[in-house]
Amino acid sequence: MLLTLSSRFVGNVYLIQCKGRIVLGDEVKALEAALDEGAREFSRLVVELGEVSRLDSIGLGLLVRFSERMRRRGGDLRLAAPPQFLMDLLKMTKVSTLLESYATEEEAIQSYLKERPTGTAQKRQGPRVLVVDESADLCVFVRTVLTQHGYDVRSTCSFRDAKTLLQVDGVEYLVVGPSTPRLSAETVMQSLTSLAPRAKALQLDPEFKIRDVQEASDALLQLFASSED
């Protein structure tokens, strides 16, 4: 089976799900490209391997190389759901001491979320915000604007991942976008506020994503300002 990849971000963690073989050739090149894409913005990576059928030495070397690269930036690369053959391989080669593994992707993600921020990260934190919308681009836009105005922002395109984030991190604001897969924005809002009852819940209007940059930025900041009244 050839390698297929899917990626998403969960707060400040970037997750890559792998299915098939990770071997020298197009497969390794595809995984390297996905890791490079994630590493442009994130230093905390998770590679989910539950449906990987084969991993050769080049593939393993790629994972170790990126774990070292992320650690130099203060992050890491961690494995999720490695199959038994891979667990045996990691132990045999003693690479298990270099690559942390977790039974599920949720555990791997939470391993990052439970870590205490240090140094600069602590100084930069303002009011904590969680943004949820199926559009990655909308999430990035909202996160960028709010971060520039002093907020400590996490975002995700997945309702399930939003619940994972809230189980670990408390937030002061919940921002739900107009586009959510299979669930209405109202349903998402109700479910998430039950996990963060003290958070101020804010919902972006359906026209938000088609506004120009300045208008959307002003509307977003006004929404926060109104919540303070």
Side-chain angles (χ1 to χ4, degrees), residues 168-180:
V168 177
D169 274 342
V171 298
E172 295 169 63
Y173 295 91
L174 278 169
V175 179
V176 175
S179 303
T180 51

Side-chain angles (χ1 to χ4, degrees), residues 1-6 17-21 48 51-53:
M1 178 182 176
L2 298 178
L3 182 65
T4 58
L5 302 169
S6 60
Q17 293 177 306
C18 306
K19 297 181 181 180
R21 307 177 305 163
E48 200 272 343
E51 296 187 51
V52 167
S53 57

Side-chain angles (χ1 to χ4, degrees), residues 51-71:
E51 296 187 51
V52 167
S53 57
R54 185 184 172 200
L55 177 71
D56 68 9
S57 58
I58 299 299
L60 183 58
L62 174 66
L63 295 174
V64 172
R65 176 161 62 85
F66 265 85
S67 72
E68 293 173 344
R69 174 177 165 184
M70 294 301 100
R71 286 171 187 167

Side-chain angles (χ1 to χ4, degrees), residues 141 207-208 210-221:
F141 172 77
E207 303 300 315
F208 181 84
I210 61 173
R211 293 177 175 175
D212 63 35
V213 171
Q214 188 61 56
E215 184 183 0
S217 298
D218 291 344
L220 178 62
L221 296 174

Side-chain angles (χ1 to χ4, degrees), residues 15-178:
L15 174 73
I16 301 172
Q17 293 177 306
C18 306
K19 297 181 181 180
R21 307 177 305 163
I22 303 176
V23 295
L24 177 64
D26 291 341
E27 290 84 357
V28 162
K29 290 179 181 178
L31 179 55
E32 183 174 16
L35 290 167
D36 274 327
E37 179 71 21
R40 290 179 185 176
E41 183 176 355
F42 300 86
S43 62
R44 295 174 165 188
L45 308 180
V46 171
V47 179
E48 200 272 343
L49 302 169
E51 296 187 51
V52 167
S53 57
R54 185 184 172 200
L55 177 71
D56 68 9
S57 58
I58 299 299
L60 183 58
L62 174 66
L63 295 174
V64 172
R65 176 161 62 85
F66 265 85
S67 72
E68 293 173 344
R69 174 177 165 184
M70 294 301 100
R71 286 171 187 167
R72 288 195 294 269
R73 292 171 49 185
D76 200 1
L77 181 150
R78 297 174 184 174
L79 307 181
Q84 189 59 50
F85 86 88
L86 183 51
M87 291 292 294
D88 294 340
L89 176 63
L90 294 175
K91 290 178 181 178
M92 180 184 68
T93 59
K94 298 185 178 181
V95 173
S96 57
T97 61
L98 302 176
L99 290 172
E100 293 186 41
S101 300
Y102 296 84
T104 66
E105 64 180 41
E106 287 82 6
E107 290 180 24
I109 292 167
Q110 289 183 359
S111 72
Y112 285 120
L113 302 179
K114 292 176 180 177
E115 292 178 348
R116 292 178 178 273
T118 58
T120 303
Q122 285 184 321
K123 295 178 183 178
R124 290 178 59 245
Q125 287 184 353
R128 182 162 291 183
V129 182
L130 175 61
V131 181
V132 185
D133 189 83
E134 69 174 357
S135 168
D137 292 335
L138 184 142
C139 286
V140 169
F141 172 77
V142 173
R143 187 172 73 236
T144 301
V145 172
L146 293 179
T147 298
Q148 294 302 314
H149 285 79
Y151 293 90
D152 179 24
V153 188
R154 305 287 183 271
S155 61
T156 179
C157 302
S158 164
F159 174 60
R160 183 187 70 177
D161 291 339
K163 293 194 292 183
T164 298
L165 288 166
L166 288 177
Q167 287 168 5
V168 177
D169 274 342
V171 298
E172 295 169 63
Y173 295 91
L174 278 169
V175 179
V176 175

